[in-house]
Each structure stands twice: as C-alpha cells, then as structure tokens.
Amino acid sequence: DIGLTQSPGTLSLSPGDRATLSCRASESLSSSDLAWYQQKPGQAPRLLIYDASTRASGIPDRFSGSGSGTDFTLTISRLEPEDFAVYHCQQYDTSPLAFGQGTKLEIK
Amino acid sequence: QVQLVQSGADEKKPGASVKVSCKPSGDIFSDYTVHWVRQAPGQRLEWMGWINPVTGNTRYSQLFLGRVTLTRDTSAITLYMELSSLTSKDTAVYYCARAVWFGELSPFDFWGQGTLVTVSS
C-alpha cells in the first residue's frame, strides 16, 4: 500500500505570506495521481488540486500544486485569512486510496 | 451544484451496527461512483470503499472487509454505509463523497456534510 507523509505538521505564517506544504509518497505515483484538499473545523474536505497541478473548479489561482514521482508540493502564494485550515493530500494512483496525516496552517 | 445530504449523528454500543445514509441532489447516479471516507478524532482521513449507484457493484478497503456494506436504494435515490461489530475505534465522522471520475482511482469533488458516529458503552 502507498503511504503519504505530509510536512510540516504545523505551519505558522501571517496573512500575505507564502505557504509551502509538502507531501511525500512511499512509492512513486506513476501518473501524478495526487490531490490536495482544504478542511476547516466542522466542515468536509474541499478539493483544491488534482492530478498534482490542476486546480479544481472555483479555486483561486493563489493555490498551485507541483511535483511528480514521490514528492509533491502545495503552494499558496499570498495567504488570505480564510486560508488558515488543515490541508490533506490524497493519492489515487493505486488501491487502496490513501491520505496524508494533514498539515495545519495556523496564523502566526 | 451537487449536494450530498447525510443522516444525522448517531451513538451506538460496542458490538452494534450503524447505518449512515447519503442522499444526492439531482440525478447523479448514472454518471458517478460514490465513495465513503471516515475521519477519527486526530487521525487522517481513511478510505472505506465505493459503490456504483447504477449497478450496485462495490469494492471495499481491506481494512474494513467483512464489516462494511455499501448499498443503494434506487427508488429513494439514497446510498447507505453500514458498519458492524463496532468498537470505540470506530468513533469518527463518516463522509460520502462523489468521485471526479467514474471508478475507484479518483479524487473527490463533492462531499456530504459528514455524520458523527460515537461508539460508547
């Protein structure tokens, strides 16, 4: 089974800063089959990025994804107050589908 | 806009079963598969399995094999997830989610609001 490890566990930044979140797979994802989600307290996850770098419908262009193989990155270019949340990565390259443990983005 | 509306919170005793429903708005049955994902307190999201709402075909994660059953009621346009032999480790929020692409290997673009299942004696 493919496992995902996200880093850092918690990221403390200020509005206007640039955020860089990492997701590392235990095996190479052959087709960059990786997604990123944002989750706020009491809410379901929201799809941000799929296929490693394609923004989902309605997602602002300050969110971008990159990477291939085993190393993937979610970048938020200029943090807005509403961006402080937990971010999850998910691989859908191989069954069983798997998620990372999450990165909490908090206000510094 | 697709919406998935789940049943309300539930509390069960250890050893019991729980059945959570997921009702999509509109007719999405013919084009999409629906997956179930759970999130225990402080834990990562955990994929449980998926169902083809048209055929009823299912596939389950090995972690839940034998304990989880996904079904659908085509007349009521409702999907169900039943989990049996509950323990305290099954205390979690359970989500249904629509796959972006038909099939198993897909991200999820629409999610239900989540159903909290608490297992406690």
Side-chain angles (χ1 to χ4, degrees):
Chain A
D1 296 359
I2 295 178
L4 297 176
T5 302
Q6 293 185 240
S7 61
T10 302
L11 186 57
S12 299
L13 294 170
S14 301
D17 286 348
R18 179 185 184 89
T20 303
L21 287 68
S22 173
C23 178
R24 176 164 289 179
S26 60
E27 300 173 28
S28 180
L29 305 187
S30 56
S31 301
S32 295
D33 290 335
L34 187 109
W36 290 93
Y37 299 85
Q38 177 193 69
Q39 187 178 28
K40 296 180 179 179
Q43 296 184 15
R46 172 194 181 197
L47 179 64
L48 299 174
I49 301 284
Y50 62 93
D51 290 351
S53 61
T54 301
R55 272 189 301 277
S57 176
I59 301 304
D61 60 8
R62 65 179 182 273
F63 292 91
S64 63
S66 63
S68 63
T70 60
D71 292 305
F72 299 86
T73 300
L74 174 70
T75 302
I76 310 172
S77 58
R78 293 175 314 280
L79 286 168
E80 297 287 343
E82 61 267 27
D83 298 337
F84 292 90
V86 176
Y87 291 83
H88 308 274
C89 58
Q90 177 218 350
Q91 71 82 15
Y92 48 94
D93 182 81
T94 306
S95 185
L97 308 183
F99 294 84
Q101 82 279 20
T103 289
K104 182 180 181 180
L105 180 56
E106 64 177 23
I107 298 177
K108 188 174 182 179
Chain B
Q1 181 81 348
V2 173
Q3 282 194 309
L4 300 171
V5 180
Q6 298 184 220
S7 48
D10 206 346
E11 184 167 348
K12 296 293 184 183
K13 301 282 188 194
S17 296
V18 67
K19 194 168 186 177
V20 178
S21 69
C22 171
K23 186 173 177 63
S25 63
D27 179 19
I28 69 167
F29 267 26
S30 59
D31 297 320
Y32 300 96
T33 48
V34 176
H35 295 237
W36 289 83
V37 175
R38 78 175 185 180
Q39 187 173 34
Q43 302 298 309
R44 68 182 67 199
L45 295 159
E46 193 169 38
W47 176 73
M48 300 179 71
W50 63 272
I51 184 168
N52 177 332
V54 174
T55 64
N57 288 345
T58 57
R59 185 179 169 104
Y60 303 117
S61 165
Q62 289 287 337
L63 292 175
F64 299 95
L65 212 54
R67 287 210 302 140
V68 67
T69 305
L70 302 182
T71 57
R72 92 282 194 215
D73 180 339
T74 52
S75 60
I77 316 179
T78 301
L79 305 167
Y80 300 95
M81 185 284 299
E82 184 168 20
L83 188 64
S84 62
S85 303
L86 294 169
T87 73
S88 59
K89 293 181 179 180
D90 294 314
T91 293
V93 176
Y94 290 78
Y95 294 100
C96 59
R98 189 188 83 166
V100 172
W101 305 299
F102 195 89
E104 179 170 339
L105 302 180
S106 173
F108 311 123
D109 56 356
F110 290 100
W111 295 63
Q113 82 275 21
T115 297
L116 174 62
V117 174
T118 304
V119 183
S120 173
S121 55

